[in-house]
Amino acid sequence: MSVQERKERERAARERLIVATARELAEQQGWDAVTTRRLAERIEYSQPVLYSHFRGKREIIGAVALQGATELAAAVRAAASSANSPRERVAALARAYLDFAQRHPAVYDAIFQLDGGLEYAQEDTPEPLKDAFAALLECLGEVAGDGVHPGLFTEVFWASLHGVATLTRAERLPPEDTEPRLELLVDRLAMV
């Protein structure tokens, strides 16, 4: 292994450590607690080392969002693949999505609420974000209905899930009614 390869591996490892630490801190204390100073202290590197990887908190949020989008896509695909019918796939997708949002609120916020400097719904949207949408589209496209554009249907269904996730977390909707809401979404919106 060359010196250059070793340095690249060490740099990649530091970057993963920064992202993992930011994510952990955000999940424990919220994104307001994530500062470059606190991250530098926690990872035991100087702030200039941190800035050699990310220009600031916004880029760190973006990195967490990309990682989270990859995880969300995998969770949705795994849930949908274990179901036997279109209705079961849609219900499994919805449960996996809401479960991800509930178990990883800071990551969910990084993906959908905070400014991570990422472009959404654009030609230059990063691949993990495109893939997360594709994971939803793969399942929801099959139930969009005659004459309904699958991508548009997926956007509306996703927006509904996002609303349920954020309103439940903000205690605007009672959490004990999440399952009936999900059933209503699946039965009425997806009509499967």
Side-chain angles (χ1 to χ4, degrees):
M1 174 189 316
S2 73
V3 172
Q4 181 65 28
E5 289 172 326
R6 182 182 52 79
K7 285 184 179 184
E8 286 173 13
R9 276 199 341 211
E10 289 172 355
R11 180 172 177 76
R14 270 194 313 272
E15 195 165 297
R16 285 190 303 273
L17 177 62
I18 293 166
V19 171
T21 304
R23 183 176 171 161
E24 179 183 310
L25 187 57
E27 290 291 5
Q28 291 171 352
Q29 300 176 30
W31 278 104
D32 288 341
V34 179
T35 64
T36 53
R37 169 180 265 162
R38 284 182 106 180
L39 285 174
E41 289 171 1
R42 282 206 175 193
I43 64 172
E44 298 178 347
Y45 283 102
S46 67
Q47 281 183 295
V49 168
L50 194 112
Y51 283 115
S52 74
H53 290 273
F54 299 98
R55 285 181 278 189
K57 182 176 176 177
R58 182 177 186 221
E59 283 190 5
I60 294 168
I61 290 170
V64 170
L66 294 177
Q67 186 181 74
T70 299
E71 293 169 10
L72 177 60
V76 163
R77 282 189 176 110
S81 72
S82 66
N84 296 318
S85 70
R87 186 193 189 291
E88 287 178 15
R89 278 190 287 283
V90 173
L93 171 146
R95 283 186 189 94
Y97 184 96
L98 294 175
D99 182 61
F100 182 90
Q102 193 256 333
R103 286 186 304 112
H104 307 289
V107 174
Y108 189 82
D109 286 349
I111 300 169
F112 298 116
Q113 305 281 90
L114 302 174
D115 179 8
L118 304 172
E119 292 291 328
Y120 287 78
Q122 304 294 321
E123 203 168 296
D124 59 343
T125 296
E127 202 53 45
L129 298 177
K130 288 180 182 179
D131 189 52
F133 184 77
L136 298 173
L137 180 61
E138 289 162 13
C139 178
L140 295 169
E142 73 177 311
V143 298
D146 294 336
V148 178
H149 188 280
L152 186 60
F153 178 79
T154 299
E155 290 172 353
V156 171
F157 197 91
W158 167 35
S160 299
L161 285 175
H162 177 70
V164 171
T166 56
L167 290 170
T168 302
R169 191 168 116 208
E171 298 179 352
R172 303 298 195 272
L173 297 175
E176 62 273 9
D177 292 332
T178 297
E179 188 62 28
R181 278 187 209 97
L182 185 143
E183 294 295 323
L184 186 61
L185 263 176
V186 171
D187 291 339
R188 298 295 172 95
L189 193 56
M191 293 195 289
V192 287

